[in-house]
Amino acid sequence: MLARTYVKPMPSNSSTPESRPSPAGRLPWLPRLLKVLAWGLGLALAGLVSLLIIIAVALAVAYPNLPDVSDLLDYRPKLPLRVYSADAVLIGEFGEERRNLTPIGEIPKVMKDAVLAIEDARFFSHGGVDYIGVIRAGLANVGRAKSQGASTITMQVARNVYLSTEKSYTRKIYEILLTFKLEHLLSKDQILEIYMNQIFLGQRAYGFAAASEIYFGKPLKSISIAEAAMLAGLPKAPSAYNPISNPRRAKARQLYIIERMEENGFITAEQSAAAKNEDIKVKSGPDSGRVHAEFVAETVRQLVYSQYGDETYTRGLNVFTTLRAADQTMAYRALRKGIMDYERRQIYRGPEKFIALSSDPKETEDAIDDALAESPDNDDVMSAVVLEAGPKKIVALRQNSETIEITGDGLKPAQSGLSEKAAPNIRIRPGALIRVTKTPKNTWEITQLPEVEGAFVALDPRSGAIRALVGGFDFEKNKFNHVTQAWRQPGSSFKPFIYSAALEKGFTPATVVNDAPLFFDAGVTGGQPWEPKNYDGTFEGPMSLRRGLAKSKNMISIRILQAIGPKYAQEWVTRFGFDGDKHPAYLTMALGAGSVTPLQMAIGYSVFANGGYRVNPYLITRITDQKGKVVVDSPVPTLDESVRGIEARNAFIMSSLLQEVARSGTAAKAQATLKRPDLYGKTGTTNDSIDTWFVGFQPTLTAAVWMGYDTPKKLGDRETGGGLSLPVWINFMDYALKGVPVTEFSAPPGVVNIGGEWFYDEYAKGSGISSVGLGDRPAAGAGADNPVAGQPVPPGAAIQTPPPSDERRRILDLFKN
């Protein structure tokens, strides 16, 4: 019997479905996982739906509350008040935001390309939010690469125009909503135009047009690729990338933007290389070409503000003035030169301050930088800190680490400060902050900021248009406008108005008056006894009115005023624009003891220059809005009989007398220097040389110069109007009259020339002659209506002796004394 055997089946690689183990058998946890995932997905979907519902509700609530952006269809940003000269040179700007509104069509392509390259390269292809840009920016930030930003230009416009700087989810939602709203309402060009004009770029500049002027001193249309890239780097951080205060970081940002411009196809590789190597000239300090008309600009600001109120600083008004930019610059330079020339003759008052110089070079450098920043340059009067000081040489440090040496004549103005015996606050030593200036020989000289002040004004006597006005040495130092606000004694420069009054009372240029001592006791003056003197303390006896004015003889003027009466003179001077109550009716009026402003003096002399007409000075010719539309237009005033102040013949004879002053009198330097005869004017020096003046004119231009201290004190025993104020006038006129033909006055009706002298017709016809014993020849006289005394007899005139009236007897007695 065979035994039964068991044969184990061989394993097989094939299996039937029935024989495969189930997934659950192999992965018992999988069902649970799938269940969790299903629940998670469901919860996520539910959360998403909830979020969408919340967003929808938020949008429904927020969208109606969004700002109305329709006003951007007529974009009108805050625009400053700008003041221009007659030849369209900017002389002043007022407003918190410095901006030049520039239409998109006038913005150069290179500037738009630079901005798009760095801010929003896909600006013209996205709908306001650049989703690709968001992803790219996120990846760049994760990879620690240079951030390219996720905010589009439209988003920046929404943020900058309508939203605060608060960082919150609420503000971000509003920003995105506003972005979509802007994209729906405005074209891409309109959005870009707003951005290019609205963005803040540092230095109070808003918009790229203003930034181009501020940083490079040129219009936006003239910038290069390198300059455009420099400006395009400012929106991200105007302070950090400011090319003036942070040139290194600004340069690094500029190079990166140039690379972005090349990457985006805005420029070629060759243009990129050239732009990277371009040497950019940044305005790092005061503009040497700037027109200094701060006092004029401030006067205009006040006038416009009185009309428009706070809108003055936001409406973008452009005010055009009567100033001529070149004349204004010359006036500024001439007055400063006159003041600094006087300052060189004054005792040195010592350094402005002293700083401690550390042994640590870095600390010393920082201390010097701080000191120079606190005491900046005053135009050509510059600050420096002394490093070494000796009797023969000073070494000092200027801004930007410029080392200068002062030797020889450059030390003379401060010689007292270099003496070993100098007081501690006077002595120049290391650490002293001093003032220096460049000489015509291009060497350095020590100087000091002046304490004395000055004023200059020039106007067209034919209309009253102000051509130049400088209200003081430095507007930043002292904003008091001495041209319009300083009431000072005019001294001898007021005498012509007394002489003018005398012409109407029978005096002529040939009338002889005695230059002899006078004394008035308390009974006459009503106060202290008065014994007036001539400036030089001498008396020359009888002389004609012409010679008396040319030599500025005080005794002559006083006797004239005695003769015509102070009350009459007080009324007469109002014809020239003076305030009668500022000139009390006393004999001291003859010496200019009243009060005037430099502008009043220029107006008064203009009456002589234009043939007898009163003029009202004016500055503004027209005002336009930001689009150039004229909103105010001031016609040029015309001179007619309604504004006549004095007769033409009076003005003519007075001009003849003033011409003599400029030819042979106290202002003879005028015609001698300028080499032309059509110059007229009068010097003025008050008691104790407290005020000095020169006021004069050429038929097309009148100018007045004043110098003195704000707190009245002596300028110096030898300081006079001819020495201080006249040179300023000459320097200005030398420039202003270049190319102006010589113009002399024609004789008007009512005057006649006899023997080389001018007379009113009625006084030259021998209406009566009387000798007052003042010369070898008989003297002309007249009746009560013509109180002439001491006039030489014209050839062929009949000699008569009418019975003297009481008035004539009084006048004759005055001239005999």
Side-chain angles (χ1 to χ4, degrees):
M1 176 176 203
L2 295 173
R4 295 177 67 182
T5 60
Y6 174 75
V7 180
K8 186 179 180 180
M10 296 293 293
S12 173
N13 291 331
S14 63
S15 63
T16 64
E18 295 80 0
S19 65
R20 290 177 187 157
S22 68
R26 286 187 290 119
L27 301 172
W29 47 269
L30 185 59
R32 290 194 300 271
L33 177 62
L34 293 174
K35 188 176 182 179
V36 170
L37 289 174
W39 275 99
L41 181 61
L43 290 173
L45 289 174
L48 179 61
V49 171
S50 299
L51 179 63
L52 291 175
I53 292 173
I54 292 172
I55 291 175
V57 171
L59 291 177
V61 173
Y63 200 84
N65 294 324
L66 291 176
D68 181 9
V69 299
S70 61
D71 57 348
L72 288 183
L73 289 170
D74 185 21
Y75 174 58
R76 293 183 181 181
K78 291 182 179 180
L79 295 173
L81 169 70
R82 290 192 174 91
V83 184
Y84 295 90
S85 66
D87 38 352
V89 176
L90 181 66
I91 60 175
E93 189 173 38
F94 300 93
E96 294 180 3
E97 302 176 4
R98 301 159 77 177
R99 181 187 282 111
N100 295 327
L101 183 59
T102 309
I104 191 67
E106 297 178 16
I107 298 174
K109 183 177 183 298
V110 65
M111 188 69 253
K112 290 183 282 191
D113 289 345
V115 168
L116 294 175
I118 191 61
E119 294 294 332
D120 194 355
R122 300 184 64 253
F123 173 71
F124 286 100
S125 59
H126 63 64
V129 177
D130 185 3
Y131 303 104
I132 295 176
V134 171
I135 296 172
R136 184 179 63 245
L139 293 175
N141 290 334
V142 170
R144 297 181 183 274
K146 279 183 179 284
S147 174
Q148 297 171 5
S151 289
T152 64
I153 283 177
T154 311
M155 293 170 73
Q156 292 184 59
V157 169
R159 181 167 63 243
N160 293 330
V161 175
Y162 291 109
L163 301 177
S164 69
T165 58
E166 174 194 8
K167 292 185 178 181
S168 67
Y169 291 112
T170 302
R171 199 214 67 173
K172 196 66 179 177
I173 292 173
Y174 272 95
E175 181 180 313
I176 293 172
L177 293 177
L178 275 172
T179 296
F180 290 137
K181 196 170 184 179
L182 288 173
E183 287 279 346
H184 175 73
L185 182 68
L186 305 175
S187 69
K188 287 290 187 178
D189 275 347
Q190 287 175 312
I191 294 171
L192 186 58
E193 177 180 303
I194 294 170
Y195 177 84
M196 301 290 281
N197 284 283
Q198 182 72 21
I199 194 72
F200 175 63
L201 300 172
Q203 303 291 117
R204 287 179 43 231
Y206 288 78
F208 289 93
S212 179
E213 294 282 358
I214 290 167
Y215 290 111
F216 305 132
K218 61 170 64 175
L220 188 61
K221 64 182 180 181
S222 303
I223 62 171
S224 64
I225 293 174
E227 291 166 334
M230 183 77 76
L231 293 179
L234 290 167
K236 182 178 180 181
S239 177
Y241 298 115
N242 187 316
I244 295 175
S245 57
N246 288 300
R248 182 183 59 80
R249 296 184 68 179
K251 181 65 177 178
R253 178 80 170 160
Q254 177 218 32
L255 294 176
Y256 172 61
I257 292 174
I258 293 173
E259 292 174 1
R260 292 281 298 155
M261 293 177 73
E262 182 183 353
E263 290 172 9
N264 284 279
F266 293 129
I267 58 175
T268 65
E270 292 76 15
Q271 289 175 315
S272 174
K276 290 178 179 178
N277 293 322
E278 182 178 327
D279 183 21
I280 294 180
K281 303 296 184 183
V282 177
K283 288 171 59 179
S284 58
D287 185 2
S288 59
R290 169 187 173 194
V291 176
H292 285 277
E294 295 88 347
F295 289 98
V296 174
E298 172 60 18
T299 300
V300 169
R301 183 198 68 79
Q302 293 176 17
L303 292 171
V304 176
Y305 186 83
S306 67
Q307 179 72 27
Y308 294 98
D310 290 339
E311 287 189 352
T312 297
Y313 311 118
T314 59
R315 285 188 57 175
L317 297 174
N318 301 302
V319 183
F320 293 86
T321 67
T322 56
L323 246 64
R324 291 190 288 226
D327 286 352
Q328 176 66 26
T329 297
M330 191 64 230
Y332 172 80
R333 292 293 173 201
L335 182 62
R336 282 179 69 96
K337 182 181 184 302
I339 290 175
M340 293 309 297
D341 285 347
Y342 169 79
E343 194 59 49
R344 287 188 184 91
R345 301 193 291 272
Q346 308 312 301
I347 189 169
Y348 186 62
R349 295 183 293 275
E352 292 182 22
K353 66 172 69 171
F354 298 90
I355 63 172
L357 300 182
S358 169
S359 57
D360 183 344
K362 182 68 171 66
E363 288 185 8
T364 295
E365 182 180 346
D366 290 344
I368 291 176
D369 287 345
D370 290 344
L372 294 177
E374 292 171 2
S375 302
D377 293 348
N378 188 307
D379 199 358
D380 53 347
V381 182
M382 296 167 274
S383 55
V385 173
V386 175
L387 301 179
E388 303 174 21
K392 294 185 178 180
K393 184 175 76 172
I394 286 178
V395 178
L397 195 66
R398 288 247 319 114
Q399 290 178 342
N400 301 320
S401 300
E402 178 189 5
T403 301
I404 64 173
E405 290 188 0
I406 310 167
T407 59
D409 290 343
L411 299 173
K412 286 184 177 179
Q415 202 63 49
S416 60
L418 296 171
S419 170
E420 293 183 358
K421 298 180 180 180
N425 63 318
I426 302 296
R427 187 171 183 182
I428 299 175
R429 59 182 185 272
L433 191 144
I434 62 174
R435 293 286 171 169
V436 296
T437 188
K438 276 288 187 71
T439 69
K441 296 180 180 179
N442 203 33
T443 59
W444 291 100
E445 178 182 81
I446 295 182
T447 186
Q448 55 191 344
L449 286 173
E451 293 180 344
V452 73
E453 273 293 355
F456 180 96
V457 60
L459 55 84
D460 188 333
R462 300 164 297 182
S463 64
I466 294 176
R467 299 304 186 191
L469 186 153
V470 187
F473 180 79
D474 176 45
F475 181 77
E476 295 303 321
K477 171 189 168 189
N478 185 354
K479 293 179 172 57
F480 185 78
N481 189 338
H482 296 84
V483 168
T484 59
Q485 296 176 289
W487 291 91
R488 309 294 293 223
Q489 289 189 348
S492 296
S493 62
F494 198 73
K495 290 176 180 176
F497 306 109
I498 304 300
Y499 278 59
S500 171
L503 293 181
E504 300 305 308
K505 287 292 189 178
F507 286 82
T508 77
T511 300
V512 175
V513 181
N514 195 12
D515 177 29
L518 285 169
F519 177 81
F520 303 92
D521 59 28
V524 175
T525 64
Q528 296 296 320
W530 181 42
E531 187 176 8
K533 306 284 186 184
N534 287 320
Y535 172 77
D536 58 8
T538 65
F539 304 95
E540 298 184 31
M543 64 177 62
S544 68
L545 260 67
R546 178 177 292 276
R547 193 64 187 150
L549 185 61
K551 302 191 76 171
S552 197
K553 290 294 187 176
N554 291 339
M555 303 303 107
I556 305 294
S557 298
I558 294 172
R559 281 188 162 89
I560 291 173
L561 186 56
Q562 278 185 298
I564 65 175
K567 283 288 187 184
Y568 174 76
Q570 183 187 42
E571 185 280 329
W572 183 260
V573 300
T574 62
R575 295 168 177 260
F576 298 87
F578 297 110
D579 303 323
D581 58 352
K582 297 283 188 181
H583 301 273
Y586 302 119
L587 291 179
T588 51
M589 191 197 313
L591 307 185
S595 295
V596 299
T597 66
L599 182 58
Q600 281 188 331
M601 292 298 285
I603 296 169
Y605 274 68
S606 292
V607 177
F608 297 138
N610 64 29
Y613 298 99
R614 279 277 304 277
V615 294
N616 289 315
Y618 71 101
L619 264 176
I620 297 174
T621 57
R622 72 182 189 280
I623 301 176
T624 67
D625 62 17
Q626 76 273 17
K627 294 183 178 180
K629 179 182 176 181
V630 176
V631 295
V632 174
D633 193 7
S634 301
V636 177
T638 57
L639 301 182
D640 56 36
E641 292 307 307
S642 67
V643 293
R644 178 167 292 286
I646 62 175
E647 290 188 6
R649 62 180 187 171
N650 186 301
F652 175 77
I653 290 182
M654 284 308 307
S655 294
S656 172
L657 294 177
L658 292 171
Q659 187 178 38
E660 189 66 45
V661 177
R663 178 169 52 229
S664 65
T666 55
K669 189 177 180 181
Q671 291 194 18
T673 302
L674 299 179
K675 305 288 194 262
R676 54 188 302 156
D678 57 340
L679 302 176
Y680 314 76
K682 182 71 184 72
T683 55
T685 309
T686 62
N687 280 348
D688 296 324
S689 297
I690 289 175
D691 301 274
T692 68
W693 295 82
F694 184 77
V695 191
F697 57 89
Q698 190 269 352
T700 64
L701 194 61
T702 303
V705 184
W706 166 84
M707 284 178 64
Y709 289 97
D710 279 338
T711 302
K713 66 177 183 179
K714 290 181 65 171
L715 289 162
D717 291 336
R718 301 192 177 200
E719 304 296 353
T720 65
L724 277 183
S725 299
L726 177 59
V728 175
W729 190 90
I730 290 174
N731 285 341
F732 172 79
M733 286 294 190
D734 186 38
Y735 176 86
L737 296 180
K738 275 186 171 61
V740 177
V742 172
T743 306
E744 295 198 64
F745 299 108
S746 299
V751 297
V752 63
N753 188 287
I754 300 176
E757 188 56 272
W758 292 101
F759 301 88
Y760 281 5
D761 274 349
E762 61 267 31
Y763 300 155
K765 294 178 179 178
S767 59
I769 304 296
S770 176
S771 171
V772 293
L774 293 179
D776 295 333
R777 302 180 63 193
D785 294 331
N786 182 19
V788 178
Q791 174 180 309
V793 179
I799 299 177
Q800 301 175 6
T801 306
S805 65
D806 290 342
E807 178 182 5
R808 178 160 177 73
R809 186 178 294 106
R810 178 176 61 84
I811 293 174
L812 292 177
D813 289 341
L814 285 172
F815 284 107
K816 290 177 182 177
N817 293 331

